Amino acid sequence: PQKRSGMHGNGIHHVNVNGSLYPAKVKSRRQMWDVQPSEMANNTLNPIRAIVDGMKLTPNPDKPMIALSIGDPTVFGNLPTDDAVLQAMKDAIDSQKFNGYAPSVGYLQSRQAVANFYSCPEAPLQAEDVILTSGCSQAIELVINVFCNPGDNILVPCPGFSLYKTLAVSMGIKVKLYNLLPEKSWEIDLQHMESLIDERTSCLIVTNPSNPCGSVFKKEHLQKILKVASKHCVPILADEIYSDMVFPGCNSSSLASLSSDVPILSCGGLAKRWLVPGWRMGWILIHDRNNIFGSEIRQGLVKLSQRILGACTVVQGALESILNNTPERFYRDTISFLQSNSEICFNELSTVPGLNPVMPSGAMYLMVGIEMERFPDFKDDVDFTERLVTEQSVFCLPASAFEYPNFFRIVVTVPEEMMVEACIRIREFCQHYHRPPSSDCNDLDQ
């Protein structure tokens, strides 16, 4: 009998490719299921989750929990967004114009609105200089992806936002941490930063205003940062999600407005200033200088944006109205509240033995140093903050989560009465455990 086409007596399959026959040995099949997560998945680690998930967080049942740990301004309901922002969204939905796919970089009209809002004579912007993203986090991811190859390194602030490292390490990119100086209101240690640059440094990340520090760099300091970047030809990722969330009297120049020769990709979004982090609307502002990025980096960003189809179309549809119609009063009131809460917190904790708060100038955070040697009952900041939950039901994020031990971060968006109560409890806790320095080294002999 005639054998079936494609199978010969010698057990070799013939695979038909482009009409010709190629012999292919039978692959030995797997004997058992073995489905493993990828290296990228295994290398993805959020340092905050890693630390918080390992903490035993059982609050004192006699005291209501006060969480000063969550960087979400909406959580307590005391900081609603403005009515104009909500109306813009309602109008966008009712128009039914924004139910389909948008271009992966965003609607042209929405990009133009962002360009108009942030353009200034020193750093002009057109629609083509804006890419809309799914939150500022995706903006950061796209920028790291467009600048870096596996084996490259990026310079990241310490303490700093943990996402930079989470994204970079998962992509095989090395992270080098440069120090911020608490005694100089968290300015960058420029000498240390410069010492980390080598031929594989593909990007410098500058966060201003800062999470977790709440610091805002002065113009002169920003110019010094640009000088280092210029000298070593390193482009900058400027994380400016908190731009304009700056206390009165503090300068808040964007990095690009001061740069004559360093090209910058600035990341921002609606999340913090408009108090809608869940709406996931971010953007990249492309500030090229001397055509260093040219068309290649722009094209690279466009290609990367096509991996997921960009930001929510309804929010894009509302964007022009949000940017143009949100009243100044709304911004002012938000900042005034954050400043007032920061001052209450700073003034209260400044007089607590063993604590050294650093007064912020913007954003939503305040960092507090712990003189660990004055608290011998605790081995580190994680232990200290864990016990603060157990005994006082106050949760502050240990700064080990930002790779900066012996500090903790307070989020200042909570209602004022909760902030006051939290400070009272922190004081009580510290007074109980604080040990003053021994005045006589012979105490033990007596």
Side-chain angles (χ1 to χ4, degrees), residues 150-171:
D152 285 354
N153 63 74
I154 60 173
L155 306 188
V156 169
C158 182
F161 182 40
S162 59
L163 184 75
Y164 312 134
K165 185 171 183 179
T166 300
L167 293 172
V169 170
S170 75
M171 296 187 257

Side-chain angles (χ1 to χ4, degrees), residues 32-61:
M32 53 179 17
W33 285 96
D34 183 22
V35 184
Q36 297 293 329
S38 67
E39 279 182 36
M40 185 179 188
N42 284 335
N43 290 335
T44 300
L45 176 78
N46 181 332
I48 294 182
R49 287 262 58 88
I51 285 183
V52 172
D53 291 349
M55 294 173 77
K56 295 180 211 59
L57 300 173
T58 315
N60 180 340

Side-chain angles (χ1 to χ4, degrees), residues 317-376:
L319 198 49
E320 186 174 12
S321 181
I322 289 171
L323 296 175
N324 293 342
N325 298 334
T326 304
E328 274 302 318
R329 170 191 43 77
F330 166 73
Y331 304 131
R332 266 202 318 273
D333 289 351
T334 306
I335 287 169
S336 162
F337 172 79
L338 296 172
Q339 181 176 27
S340 166
N341 251 5
S342 297
E343 285 170 350
I344 289 167
C345 183
F346 177 79
N347 292 335
E348 282 299 314
L349 298 187
S350 290
T351 59
V352 173
L355 295 186
N356 297 306
V358 182
M359 182 62 195
S361 305
M364 320 183 316
Y365 311 101
L366 182 147
M367 287 276 275
V368 182
I370 314 166
E371 295 174 19
M372 289 309 304
E373 67 280 7
R374 299 280 163 264
F375 298 99

